């Protein structure tokens, strides 16, 4: 990518939505540039959240399951095969009011953008939410994790706590049973939010047990995690539980700070889309988890990436 380069389509994000948009716009000869993010932070995970999962059993076409990273590598290869250019950079600022649209990938206060584009597809996805505890942040990487696939290996024969009650929490818990001596799921209610199939699997697994109606109020340990403090939300009672690892799996937040004040968002910061994938700003489209807090599946993200590509193609045809 050359400095000050001018493009017809830029795609921000390289999860299933962004890469599907890249495949479609590349096949439409729009020579898309994909800014995939940098691997330094969870919110910019190139390849998106599937890079942090193990087996994907529900992506159509793979009856024997496929590993998340393998699926993303295949999508990437497919996009590049049709001419998409993928760069490992992070967008630091966008100006959606100028035409062409300006995108900065370096110093955001620089007077000129690094890239100008006629159309922009936003597929920046969502990131893991954290509990917000001081010691959780201090011990992140030292027993606190948001990714069982990445860190499970370090917890062989250890006591593990997973916090959350959704599909992510149970998926993490079940995966961690391969390593841990025990896996305790701490959930703030008595009913899980997770799908029935995941609940059945977790209830059947001897290594998984549950602490209901409880929240984690502190993480113990000086250099690495040694335990957690739990509070029963019904009785108020506090207890300490010995643990070597705490996996936080309490949901996600959209990566939309870049667009604050420029695009309409809902109360949780997800981009609002209308009439397909339109954001309300001409030539700017959004797809995947950044605009979907309801379905949040790889296949729906990919589907909306396809929609964004077709909307972009039609937009460019209408203005050119
Ligand atoms: P989620 O469904 O939003 O669940 C988040 C869980 O964390 C909920 O049980 C919630 O409790 C709990 N929670 C939220 N904030 C908390 C806090 N501050 N302290 C303690 N607990 C807190 O998120 P998710 O599990 O990440 O799943 C997101 C979407 O991805 C879902 O649609 C899910 O089906 C999908 N997904 C699918 C798969 C799969 O199919 N294999 C795997 C992973 C995710 P409450 O229940 O009380 O609100």
């Amino acid at each position: 990518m050359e400095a000050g380069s001018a493009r017809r389509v830029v795609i921000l994000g390289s999860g299933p939505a962004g890469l599907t948009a890249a495949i479609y716009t590349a096949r439409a000869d729009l020579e898309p540039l994909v800014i995939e993010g940098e691997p330094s932070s969870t919110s910019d995970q190139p390849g998106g959240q599937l890079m942090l999962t193990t087996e994907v059993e529900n992506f159509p076409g793979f009856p024997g399951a496929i590993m998340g990273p393998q699926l993303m590598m295949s999508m990437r290869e497919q996009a590049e095969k049709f001419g998409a250019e993928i760069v490992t950079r992070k967008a630091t600022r966008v100006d959606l009011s100028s035409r062409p649209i300006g995108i900065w990938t370096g110093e955001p206060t620089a007077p000129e953008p690094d890239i100008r584009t006629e159309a922009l597809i936003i597929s920046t996805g969502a990131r893991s939410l954290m509990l917000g505890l001081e010691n959780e942040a201090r011990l992140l990487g030292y027993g606190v994790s948001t990714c069982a696939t990445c860190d499970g290996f370090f917890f062989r024969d250890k006591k593990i706590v997973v916090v959350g009650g959704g599909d992510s929490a149970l998926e993490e818990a079940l995966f961690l049973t391969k390593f841990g001596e025990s896996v305790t799921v701490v959930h703030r209610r008595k009913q899980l939010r997770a799908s029935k199939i995941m609940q059945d699997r977790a209830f059947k697994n001897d290594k998984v047990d549950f602490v209901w109606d409880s929240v984690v109020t502190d993480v113990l340990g000086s250099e690495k995690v040694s335990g957690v403090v739990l509070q029963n939300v019904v009785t108020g009672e506090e207890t300490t539980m010995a643990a070597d690892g705490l996996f936080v799996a309490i949901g996600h937040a959209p990566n939309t700070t870049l667009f604050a004040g420029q695009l309409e968002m809902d109360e949780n910061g997800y981009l609002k889309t209308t009439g397909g994938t339109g954001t309300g700003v001409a030539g700017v489209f959004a797809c995947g988890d950044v605009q979907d807090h309801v379905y949040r599946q790889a296949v729906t993200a990919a589907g909306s990436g396809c929609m964004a590509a077709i909307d972009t193609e039609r937009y460019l045809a209408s203005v050119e």
Side-chain angles (χ1 to χ4, degrees):
M1 191 189 76
E2 289 159 30
S5 82
R7 312 294 297 216
R8 295 177 79 194
V9 186
V10 168
I11 298 166
L12 293 183
S14 55
L19 290 180
T20 303
I23 292 166
Y24 273 75
T25 49
R27 291 189 80 253
D29 276 344
L30 295 174
E31 298 173 335
L33 172 71
V34 181
I35 300 178
E36 68 170 352
E38 285 170 353
S40 52
S41 75
T42 49
S43 61
D44 303 311
Q45 174 67 47
Q49 295 174 65
L50 281 188
M51 295 301 284
L52 307 177
T53 48
T54 47
E55 288 187 346
V56 179
E57 291 180 327
N58 52 11
F59 199 88
F62 299 96
I66 182 166
M67 299 303 278
Q70 192 190 332
L71 179 59
M72 295 322 301
M73 289 316 290
S74 301
M75 284 192 200
R76 194 188 156 101
E77 191 184 320
Q78 197 173 353
E80 287 184 317
K81 177 183 142 188
F82 291 114
E85 185 185 353
I86 302 177
V87 293
T88 309
R89 291 217 199 146
K90 181 181 158 76
T92 52
R93 178 181 156 200
V94 292
D95 179 0
L96 306 181
S97 62
S98 66
R99 286 294 172 278
I101 292 161
I103 301 170
W104 283 252
T105 58
E107 182 49 59
T109 54
E112 291 300 318
D114 300 288
I115 304 152
R116 294 181 192 279
T117 181
E118 290 166 50
L120 177 67
I121 296 177
I122 300 170
S123 49
T124 46
R127 65 183 181 283
S128 298
L129 289 175
M130 301 302 288
L131 297 169
L133 305 169
E134 209 178 306
N135 286 328
E136 172 197 44
R138 183 175 61 80
L139 292 166
L140 190 65
Y142 298 91
V144 176
S145 172
T146 58
C147 177
T149 321
C150 321
D151 301 330
F153 182 78
F154 302 114
F155 294 88
R156 200 170 286 283
D157 302 324
K158 304 279 189 199
K159 288 188 174 62
I160 302 169
V161 169
V162 176
V163 59
D167 279 327
S168 296
L170 296 196
E171 194 175 67
E172 299 277 271
L174 287 165
F175 180 74
L176 288 165
T177 58
K178 292 183 191 178
F179 305 99
E181 172 196 298
S182 66
V183 179
T184 303
V185 177
V186 176
H187 182 38
R188 63 184 179 183
R189 295 187 290 137
K190 260 198 184 68
Q191 284 83 35
L192 292 167
R193 183 177 291 278
S195 55
K196 172 123 188 1
I197 187 167
M198 294 298 281
Q199 294 198 27
D200 289 346
R201 282 183 197 169
F203 291 142
K204 267 192 213 142
N205 193 309
D206 289 341
K207 273 195 182 175
V208 179
D209 64 351
F210 290 85
V211 175
W212 304 109
D213 288 328
S214 296
V215 290
V216 173
T217 54
D218 203 359
V219 189
L220 306 174
S222 55
E223 275 163 26
K224 56 188 178 104
V225 171
S226 62
V228 290
V229 179
L230 303 180
Q231 183 175 45
N232 185 300
V233 293
V234 178
T235 63
E237 189 192 348
E238 275 203 341
T239 49
T240 298
M241 179 187 280
D244 305 290
L246 171 67
F247 284 78
V248 182
I250 60 169
H252 300 89
N255 298 316
T256 51
T257 37
L258 204 55
F259 316 107
Q262 300 193 65
L263 291 178
E264 257 198 275
M265 300 178 194
D266 71 10
E267 64 281 7
N268 295 316
Y270 286 85
L271 296 183
K272 284 190 181 174
T273 47
T274 49
T277 60
T279 59
V281 172
V284 181
F285 304 91
C287 52
D289 286 11
V290 73
Q291 52 85 56
D292 169 27
H293 58 91
V294 179
Y295 302 105
R296 296 187 286 190
Q297 302 299 303
V299 68
T300 51
S304 72
C306 162
M307 289 163 64
I310 292 172
D311 289 344
T312 300
E313 212 181 318
R314 289 182 182 159
Y315 165 78
L316 289 173
S318 75
V319 294
E320 281 169 0

